Amino acid sequence: MPARAYILDRPKECTSSVVFASPHSGSDYPDWFLRKTILSDLAIRSSEDAFVDKLFDRASDYGAPFLKAGAPRAFIDYNRSAEELDPALISGIRKSGNNLRVASGLGVIPRVVANGQPIYRGKLGLEEAEARLNTYWRPYHNALQSLLNEARFKFGHAILIDCHSMPHEALENVRFSKGVRPQIVLGDRFGASAHPDIVNQIEAAFEGAGFTVSRNTPFAGAFVTQHYGRPSRDQFAVQVEIDRSLYMDEKRIEPNEDFPKVRRALQKVMAQITAIGRPAQKLAAE
């Protein structure tokens, strides 16, 4: 099994209400899992948000915690509900409702990776599915909610930045209102998961670092954004999708020559985003 459900980088002192998370960057593939899959070692990583954990690894330097996936997305998907079990993959699960993610093989325990490539030859047992949920999914989400609760207790609100990457080809057939292909897509569930002022400031942070940005097209946010974005409770969530071609060779799944530059630009973004969740400094008494 993957060694850990999650990895948590905590700052020496939490000075911002912002929490960064990366649910799809896990890359700990057990040997038995690689033997079980019908995919190559490279193909099994095709739906992984490779190196996103490295791009945002300075988050704690700016006073914000950073929660990272311990298990890979092909093994368990932290950005799905625990109820999104796929009857086409897991024995003993009855089909219910019309969940397009599950139907396409992208449930909480995925049946396929990118481009619909099947992971397994046959089905998994319900006991194995429950073991993955109990060992990985639930601890990750318990940790995430705990971090948000801590932020709300200390600062009166919490801002979750859910960090992802998107294939360059994901935007090929999408038309954008500004006519410019974005490098960053912010998802706030069309305004349902975060206050507009917060999203405006996050967008300005990315644009100030030289990125082109769009909102909610084609990614408005999935389970994490929907579940944790609760503006009425002063808990906000924004999904961030980064074009993978900016920093990596997508076919070889390796950082490209621009990786250091993109990482530095994101440090500037993190500094500005964490400032959004930082209480205004009071002037010292004269």
Side-chain angles (χ1 to χ4, degrees):
M1 303 290 273
R4 292 176 286 183
Y6 61 86
I7 301 99
L8 176 58
D9 292 343
R10 281 187 177 273
K12 291 181 179 179
E13 180 184 2
C14 190
T15 60
S16 173
S17 64
V18 173
V19 174
F20 290 90
S22 175
H24 287 163
S25 60
S27 58
D28 183 4
Y29 294 85
D31 289 340
W32 70 264
F33 178 68
L34 293 176
R35 290 193 298 269
K36 189 170 187 174
T37 178
I38 61 176
L39 295 173
S40 68
D41 290 359
L42 190 63
I44 194 69
R45 299 187 64 193
S46 59
S47 59
E48 174 190 319
D49 286 346
F51 314 116
V52 166
D53 54 341
K54 303 296 189 297
L55 289 174
F56 289 89
D57 66 355
R58 296 287 298 278
S60 61
D61 291 352
Y62 301 99
F66 183 23
L67 182 70
K68 298 171 284 188
R73 183 183 186 182
F75 184 82
I76 192 156
D77 193 335
Y78 296 112
N79 199 22
R80 297 290 183 265
S81 165
E83 306 301 318
E84 293 184 275
L85 294 169
D86 185 353
L89 174 65
I90 302 166
S91 300
I93 297 295
R94 292 183 178 181
K95 184 177 180 180
S96 61
N98 186 27
N99 187 309
L100 296 179
R101 291 191 295 251
V102 173
S104 65
L106 297 173
V108 64
I109 299 177
R111 174 165 37 95
V112 302
V113 292
N115 299 315
Q117 302 174 86
I119 298 173
Y120 309 95
R121 285 191 176 86
K123 286 193 170 188
L124 303 180
L126 181 57
E127 184 176 340
E128 180 175 343
E130 288 293 344
R132 293 191 196 185
L133 291 171
N134 290 332
T135 307
Y136 299 96
W137 191 96
R138 291 188 173 91
Y140 177 91
H141 284 280
N142 288 341
L144 180 53
Q145 187 61 71
S146 178
L147 292 170
L148 295 172
N149 290 344
E150 289 175 18
R152 289 170 60 199
F153 179 80
K154 184 172 183 178
F155 301 100
H157 68 276
I159 303 171
L160 171 61
I161 307 297
D162 198 45
C163 306
H164 296 259
S165 66
M166 56 187 174
H168 185 70
E169 66 180 14
L171 305 181
E172 283 183 355
N173 299 317
V174 180
R175 298 183 65 182
F176 297 95
S177 58
K178 297 179 182 179
V180 179
R181 183 188 182 113
Q183 298 166 316
I184 304 290
V185 176
L186 302 180
D188 65 355
R189 305 289 298 182
F190 297 96
S193 69
H195 193 283
D197 287 348
I198 291 174
V199 187
N200 288 342
Q201 291 179 75
I202 293 171
E203 182 173 357
F206 279 102
E207 289 181 337
F211 295 100
T212 57
V213 185
S214 74
R215 294 193 197 180
N216 296 309
T217 304
F219 305 107
F223 169 75
V224 166
T225 316
Q226 183 177 18
H227 181 74
Y228 291 100
R230 293 286 186 267
S232 63
R233 303 178 189 173
D234 294 314
Q235 181 171 287
F236 310 100
V238 178
Q239 178 176 280
V240 175
E241 294 275 1
I242 306 172
D243 184 341
R244 292 175 185 168
S245 68
L246 293 177
Y247 65 89
M248 67 178 275
D249 180 323
E250 294 184 77
K251 291 184 178 180
R252 300 172 66 181
I253 313 184
E254 294 177 352
N256 63 23
E257 60 184 7
D258 290 325
F259 184 90
K261 179 178 70 175
V262 174
R263 183 170 174 268
R264 286 193 299 270
L266 288 173
Q267 289 171 21
K268 178 180 178 181
V269 173
M270 286 187 288
Q272 291 187 302
I273 289 178
T274 51
I276 298 170
R278 191 167 290 125
Q281 297 296 318
K282 297 181 179 180
L283 293 177
E286 294 184 359

